[in-house]
Amino acid sequence: MNAFSNFCQKIYRNQFMRFAFVGGINTLVFYSLFLLFHQVFGLFYLVAHITAFLLSMVVSYFLNVFFTFGVKPSLKTFLQFPLTQVVNFSVSTTLVFVFVELIGLSPVIAPILAVFLTVPITYIVTAKILKRDGVSHES
């Protein structure tokens, strides 16, 4: 239990690690929604990808505001937050298409691979937008 506690403390102390942790949670939310829409409801993989992405973005906003960056949520940052995802969305959607249509990977695997390639860029853009006003509730 001590090793787990140390691991949790390391994550909490490092902002990028918190971002990565939140990203992992958000990836699970996204992927669960994607599978639900694609496998259960039979939506075309790109439609399922886009729908799951948009819904998981709302979850991501609140996790990043409260846990990752320790800032107060506002309508301004909520409305700007999708800008953090423009590059992520564009790159990940393009990668999903390339992985499925050009490389021949399964549409079930392609979104996961795309996520890992977009994390560093998304962190930088997210930090700039959410921390721009400097309104923090961390001590």
Side-chain angles (χ1 to χ4, degrees):
M1 194 65 168
N2 193 22
F4 180 73
S5 177
N6 288 339
F7 175 73
C8 290
Q9 288 175 2
K10 284 181 184 180
I11 287 175
Y12 188 74
R13 284 188 211 126
N14 183 290
Q15 192 172 72
F16 184 78
M17 292 296 291
R18 289 193 310 260
F19 182 81
F21 181 74
V22 164
I25 291 171
N26 199 54
T27 298
L28 290 174
V29 169
F30 160 77
Y31 196 59
S32 298
L33 290 170
F34 170 78
L35 290 176
L36 176 72
F37 296 139
H38 181 61
Q39 301 288 91
V40 176
F41 296 133
L43 293 180
F44 182 64
Y45 74 90
L46 285 176
V47 173
H49 171 76
I50 291 166
T51 305
F53 191 93
L54 293 173
L55 291 173
S56 68
M57 191 172 14
V58 174
V59 173
S60 180
Y61 170 77
F62 288 105
L63 288 174
N64 277 297
V65 162
F66 290 114
F67 183 70
T68 303
F69 298 107
V71 296
K72 294 184 186 226
S74 70
L75 183 58
K76 178 181 177 183
T77 59
F78 182 78
L79 294 176
Q80 289 177 337
F81 187 74
L83 297 174
T84 69
Q85 302 297 311
V86 170
V87 171
N88 183 5
F89 178 76
S90 301
V91 172
S92 69
T93 302
T94 300
L95 287 172
V96 167
F97 178 80
V98 168
F99 289 158
V100 172
E101 299 298 332
L102 302 180
I103 297 175
L105 292 177
S106 165
V108 174
I109 301 296
I112 293 296
L113 294 177
V115 165
F116 289 111
L117 297 174
T118 59
V119 169
I121 295 167
T122 305
Y123 171 76
I124 293 166
V125 176
T126 302
K128 286 184 185 274
I129 286 181
L130 292 182
K131 294 171 70 175
R132 181 180 298 154
D133 295 331
V135 178
S136 177
H137 63 70
E138 284 191 338
S139 50

